[in-house]
Amino acid sequence: MGSNFSKTLREEEIEEIESETGFTAKQITRLYNRYSNLDKANKGYLGREDFQHIPEIAINPLGERIIDAFFDQDDGDGVDQQARVNFRQFIRVLAQFRPVSSTRAGDLQLNAKAKKLKFVFDVYDLDKDEKISREDLTKVLQMMVGSNVTSDQLNSIADCTMAEIDEDKDGFISYDKFCKAMDGIKIDEKMSIRFL
């Protein structure tokens, strides 16, 4: 499908997307219409500014990190992913927020627990070095709480979190440490949106 798209999806495209994402044909059609509506200039792709006009993202303290998730993908088409998001990329990110289905189990699914954990980990990994530093953690916490806590309180939260998760005291939270810390959290339930 690349970065350009026609005004309608072909049946074989819908079937491919259904298989890849777990969305139903009806959900895909609705999401395609939403995607098309976001592309107000009819460019055939979405840019950062298109996402910034979504009210739910604009008011979310982690809005920019959520937007980043759409642009941090590689679909192998050679297009600069920092500049544009095609429909396939758009729906792949949204698929990570689908509730886990008991009939479609497996770690390869876009909405599998492992994929959801990686998504959340990447939100915290600001410099994309595959580890969360105290600085990464502090900046994301600051985004989340804004001016509701003092700098000392924020530093205390970051220090406590690092002390609890960074068992080997190397100063970083690796993906493995992060997963271990999130083991008791029902991420499948916390990171799910019901799509109509």
Side-chain angles (χ1 to χ4, degrees), residues 166-182:
D166 184 20
E167 294 173 347
D168 64 1
K169 307 296 182 219
D170 66 355
F172 297 100
I173 300 171
S174 66
Y175 179 65
D176 289 337
K177 291 179 201 176
F178 181 80
C179 289
K180 185 177 177 185
M182 298 291 285

Side-chain angles (χ1 to χ4, degrees), residues 25-188:
K26 187 176 183 179
Q27 290 170 325
I28 293 166
T29 302
R30 285 184 177 168
L31 289 170
Y32 186 78
N33 288 335
R34 176 70 171 154
Y35 176 87
S36 298
N37 288 335
L38 289 172
D39 180 17
K40 294 188 186 324
N42 292 318
K43 303 176 301 265
Y45 61 86
L46 299 178
R48 287 184 167 277
E49 66 282 352
D50 297 311
F51 287 95
Q52 291 165 341
H53 291 104
I54 300 171
E56 296 82 0
I57 291 179
I59 63 169
N60 189 314
L62 294 177
E64 284 300 316
R65 296 300 298 146
I66 293 168
I67 292 170
D68 288 346
F70 286 92
F71 292 89
D72 288 345
Q73 301 178 74
D74 178 18
D75 69 353
D77 67 1
V79 176
D80 177 9
Q81 299 312 313
Q82 299 301 315
R84 50 181 70 171
V85 172
N86 65 35
F87 179 66
R88 279 280 180 72
Q89 294 163 322
F90 177 77
I91 202 161
R92 278 187 205 124
V93 172
L94 293 180
Q96 294 177 78
F97 292 94
R98 279 186 50 253
V100 175
S101 167
S102 59
T103 60
R104 294 181 48 98
D107 283 342
L108 298 178
Q109 283 183 254
L110 291 171
N111 67 328
K113 182 176 181 175
K115 300 283 187 183
K116 290 177 185 273
L117 284 171
K118 181 66 170 126
F119 183 93
V120 174
F121 179 83
D122 289 344
V123 166
Y124 281 89
D125 182 16
L126 294 175
D127 56 8
K128 299 178 184 157
D129 63 355
E130 296 300 318
K131 55 190 173 187
I132 300 169
S133 66
R134 184 186 180 289
E135 183 178 343
D136 290 336
L137 180 61
T138 304
K139 285 180 180 177
V140 173
L141 290 171
Q142 179 64 50
M143 288 177 213
M144 290 169 36
V145 299
S147 60
N148 293 327
V149 299
T150 67
S151 179
D152 288 342
Q153 290 170 320
L154 190 66
N155 286 324
S156 178
I157 294 167
D159 289 340
C160 288
T161 302
M162 290 299 290
E164 185 177 326
I165 298 175
D166 184 20
E167 294 173 347
D168 64 1
K169 307 296 182 219
D170 66 355
F172 297 100
I173 300 171
S174 66
Y175 179 65
D176 289 337
K177 291 179 201 176
F178 181 80
C179 289
K180 185 177 177 185
M182 298 291 285
D183 190 41
I185 307 291
K186 293 185 178 182
I187 192 83
D188 317 2

